[in-house]
Amino acid sequence: MKDDTLLIAGPCSAESREQVLATAEGLSRRKVDYFRAGIWKPRTQPGSFEGVGRTGLPWLKEVKETYGMKTCIEVADEVHVVEALKAGIDMLWIGARTSSNPFQVQRLADCLAGTDIPVAVKNPMNPDLALWSGAIERLARSGIQNLMAIHRGFAVYGQKFYRNAPLWQIPIDFRNAHPEIPLINDPSHICGRRDILAEVAQMAMDLAFDGLMIETHPDPDVAWTDAAQQLTPDALHALLDGLVIREEGADYDALDSLRQEINMVDDAIIELFARRMGISASIGEAKKQRGMTILQNKRWRDVLEKNLAKGREHGIDEGFLADVYRAVHQASIRIQKDTMKK
Ligand code: PEP
Ligand code: MN
């Protein structure tokens, strides 16, 4: 990692004083710009662990006193802001669920007016550049000088490879709209799993991001939140040591970005194939019940015709598409046959 790359690390959630301090201890052999820990956790489902709340604030103070790391937490309402400021937290971040809501962002901006605490804004859940920019602008208008943006990926229905699709073009466009605002990548919430974190962090470095926020836990498998994506401090050090830093200006980043996009499209194609095969099995079942033959030739001709016409609209080679659909149809027949045998 480059010396001036900003590093934010720490657990998804503060769970106990021991867990918070053990994480900080593990991280302390490298310069961590901000130690993170969520103490109020926005959860998708009610009944999940919602954070230790203000109980965790003294633990962060201890991290700062013992290890000299600045600290940061997520804030989602005015009470959080007041508590954080009172507790001497050094930086605040606004989470993806909150940055999606202009009313709430405005309330936070009003409450932060007149303070000089740095604030980082995560991209909203949905892939909407204007909404992300709008949140940044609301804070800027309240006089917040020290703003940062965190790219944590976007919720895309049906997406399975990533927890949140990176859609790299959005942070690239954000950077062009706000070149003065440091752009941090959060591979943890993009990936949702440990095995591909390094790849995404490397991509962020190749796209000249200014920093990384990575969730770190002394025993990730038993973490109360986001267990699959957290790294031990040692694994984080290894990841960071393994990053290749290239010079800005080389043209590899456009190529990498395109390859990443191809990978995403391929993931989507596989998921759609899997869905289509599942439907074929149900069709086999329905035909069996009705005593129908597998091959319904008119239906097959209609499907091919319709899809070739659609392909023509997109300029897709007709021979190629016909080959693909013949293969798909063959696979579908095989699946229906297997279903009928049962
Ligand atoms: C987090 O950083 O733990 C978090 C909840 O992030 P996000 O708002 O990106 O989901
Ligand atoms: Mn998390």
Side-chain angles (χ1 to χ4, degrees), residues 29-337:
R29 69 178 157 93
R30 110 183 294 124
K31 182 172 158 282
V32 173
D33 296 283
Y34 291 102
F35 181 87
R36 64 151 284 157
I39 63 170
W40 293 288
K41 299 301 299 175
R43 307 309 303 280
T44 303
Q45 299 295 332
S48 318
F49 171 65
E50 293 193 326
V52 294
R54 53 190 304 216
T55 312
L57 292 168
W59 307 340
L60 291 170
K61 188 160 172 239
E62 219 176 318
V63 166
K64 190 169 167 175
E65 285 167 0
T66 311
Y67 299 102
M69 292 171 193
K70 292 185 188 167
T71 57
C72 62
I73 60 170
E74 172 172 352
V75 291
D77 65 28
E78 294 98 321
V79 176
H80 298 167
V81 171
V82 171
E83 292 273 0
L85 293 173
K86 227 168 43 191
I89 298 292
D90 301 285
M91 191 261 274
L92 306 175
W93 85 82
I94 297 180
R97 290 155 191 82
T98 309
S99 71
S100 306
N101 179 346
F103 284 138
Q104 197 62 15
V105 173
Q106 190 59 53
R107 277 196 283 270
L108 289 168
D110 293 344
C111 174
L112 284 160
T115 68
D116 58 3
I117 191 162
V119 181
V121 182
K122 287 204 171 194
N123 67 252
M125 297 295 287
N126 48 324
D128 186 338
L129 175 61
L131 198 55
W132 195 7
S133 284
I136 289 277
E137 282 157 27
R138 285 178 196 279
L139 292 158
R141 283 185 190 196
S142 278
I144 306 296
Q145 304 277 336
N146 199 342
L147 285 167
M148 287 176 271
I150 301 178
H151 167 233
R152 51 79 75 203
F154 302 88
V156 175
Y157 186 69
Q159 167 72 49
K160 297 236 176 68
F161 185 75
Y162 297 106
R163 177 177 176 194
N164 291 289
L167 309 182
W168 294 102
Q169 195 56 48
I170 296 181
I172 291 170
D173 290 346
F174 182 94
R175 142 119 331 134
N176 288 328
H178 304 277
E180 73 294 353
I181 295 192
L183 184 58
I184 315 290
N185 176 254
D186 168 353
S188 304
H189 291 88
I190 290 176
C191 299
R193 50 189 245 222
R194 279 183 275 285
D195 60 324
I196 54 171
L197 283 173
E199 208 177 292
V200 170
Q202 180 64 55
M203 181 68 180
M205 294 296 95
D206 290 345
L207 293 175
F209 274 62
D210 303 292
L212 293 169
M213 177 192 249
I214 303 186
E215 289 185 342
T216 326
H217 189 287
D219 190 357
D221 286 336
V222 301
W224 297 357
T225 55
D226 291 352
Q229 73 195 28
Q230 301 205 58
L231 288 180
T232 60
D234 281 349
L236 176 75
H237 292 305
L239 184 156
L240 296 174
D241 291 340
L243 292 176
V244 180
I245 302 304
R246 302 176 173 107
E247 287 310 310
E248 211 177 329
D251 61 0
Y252 54 81
D253 43 12
L255 181 61
D256 279 358
S257 165
L258 292 168
R259 285 184 171 151
Q260 187 88 10
E261 218 173 313
I262 287 269
N263 290 345
M264 278 185 51
V265 172
D266 283 344
D267 294 339
I269 291 175
I270 302 286
E271 306 222 345
L272 289 173
F273 272 144
R275 214 162 109 196
R276 199 184 193 288
M277 305 293 173
I279 298 173
S280 291
S282 307
I283 287 189
E285 190 59 45
K287 285 179 180 167
K288 181 179 173 185
Q289 279 166 16
R290 289 169 178 73
M292 287 165 74
T293 57
I294 289 181
L295 181 63
Q296 299 286 315
N297 213 20
K298 166 139 186 3
R299 165 73 186 151
W300 156 237
R301 270 187 281 120
D302 289 348
V303 167
L304 187 64
E305 190 61 33
K306 178 177 106 1
N307 289 320
L308 292 184
K310 184 119 204 171
R312 272 196 297 277
E313 279 171 29
H314 291 278
I316 299 176
D317 180 79
E318 201 165 309
F320 159 74
L321 204 54
D323 284 347
V324 169
Y325 266 93
R326 277 193 202 99
V328 167
H329 187 233
Q330 285 300 319
S332 173
I333 287 177
R334 259 195 314 275
I335 290 166
Q336 294 183 44
K337 235 171 154 163

